[in-house]
């Protein structure tokens, strides 16, 4: 059975749980659950993007609470059991980071959260720790409403990657 057929055949509760692993917005996960069955993976991705575009600031902030801070690799498995392995893969760029970069990210995350009221969210896949630090520093200059939209866009990218992982998992 294909993973798409598996996903389409889950009970609503099971499907909502799986979609929540991809994006922590309850409204989005429920809408994706109701949108089933998907005739193709492309249709699933298209619908996921369209439904994310219909969400707003409350949904974005809720989704952000389901992510660890960039660089907080030690807490990934503890706090985020449902997505810990995925988050760890996404943050592979942290593995070779020097202590100076790790400390700068920790300090920057703290300052970012104090300024904006939510964690720094970036699609970390394929980015080095130094690249993520540069993005964090650049985004600190954004007005709060603009930064919330930027972070929501990053969540959309993360959601797509996680949906791909969901459909490719054994």
């Amino acid at each position: 059975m294909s993973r798409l057929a598996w996903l389409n055949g889950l009970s609503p509760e099971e499907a909502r749980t799986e979609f929540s692993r991809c994006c922590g917005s309850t409204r989005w996960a429920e809408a994706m659950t109701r949108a089933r069955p998907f005739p193709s993976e492309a249709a699933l991705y298209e619908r996921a993007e369209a439904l994310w575009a219909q969400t707003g600031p409350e949904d974005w902030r809720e989704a952000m609470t389901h992510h660890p801070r960039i660089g907080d690799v030690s807490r990934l498995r503890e706090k985020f059991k449902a997505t810990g392995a995925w988050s760890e893969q996404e943050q592979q760029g942290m593995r070779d980071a020097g202590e100076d970069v790790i400390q700068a990210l920790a300090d920057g995350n703290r300052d970012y959260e104090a300024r904006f009221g939510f964690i720094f969210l970036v699609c970390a896949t394929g980015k080095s720790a130094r690249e993520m630090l540069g993005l964090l520093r650049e985004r600190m200059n954004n007005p709060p409403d603009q930064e919330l939209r930027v972070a929501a866009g990053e969540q959309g990218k993360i959601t797509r990657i996680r949906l791909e992982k969901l459909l490719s998992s054994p």
Side-chain angles (χ1 to χ4, degrees), residues 15-126:
R16 195 168 16 266
T17 296
E18 293 300 326
F19 288 126
S20 293
R21 293 177 61 207
C22 300
C23 177
S25 163
T26 302
R27 188 169 105 161
W28 179 87
E30 289 174 355
M32 286 295 289
T33 299
R34 287 190 305 272
R36 295 176 312 142
F38 299 102
S40 66
E41 289 184 17
L44 178 141
Y45 299 138
E46 185 178 305
R47 191 69 181 140
E49 187 176 324
L51 289 171
W52 183 245
Q54 295 173 19
T55 61
E58 285 183 30
D59 305 299
W60 305 340
R61 288 177 184 275
E62 179 187 19
M64 289 175 207
T65 67
H66 291 256
H67 290 276
R69 285 178 182 82
I70 293 294
D72 194 1
V73 178
S74 64
R75 294 196 53 214
L76 292 176
R77 283 206 167 90
E78 173 192 331
K79 185 175 179 190
F80 301 95
K81 288 181 179 152
T83 60
W86 288 352
S87 294
E88 188 171 13
Q89 289 171 351
E90 292 159 5
Q91 290 194 37
Q92 282 182 0
M94 291 300 300
R95 288 194 178 140
D96 298 325
E99 187 59 38
D100 60 328
V101 175
I102 292 170
Q103 187 59 55
L105 273 167
D107 295 343
N109 275 312
R110 186 184 58 249
D111 295 344
Y112 180 99
E113 196 167 344
R115 172 162 163 64
F116 295 113
F118 52 88
I119 67 163
F120 172 66
L121 191 63
V122 64
C123 183
T125 301

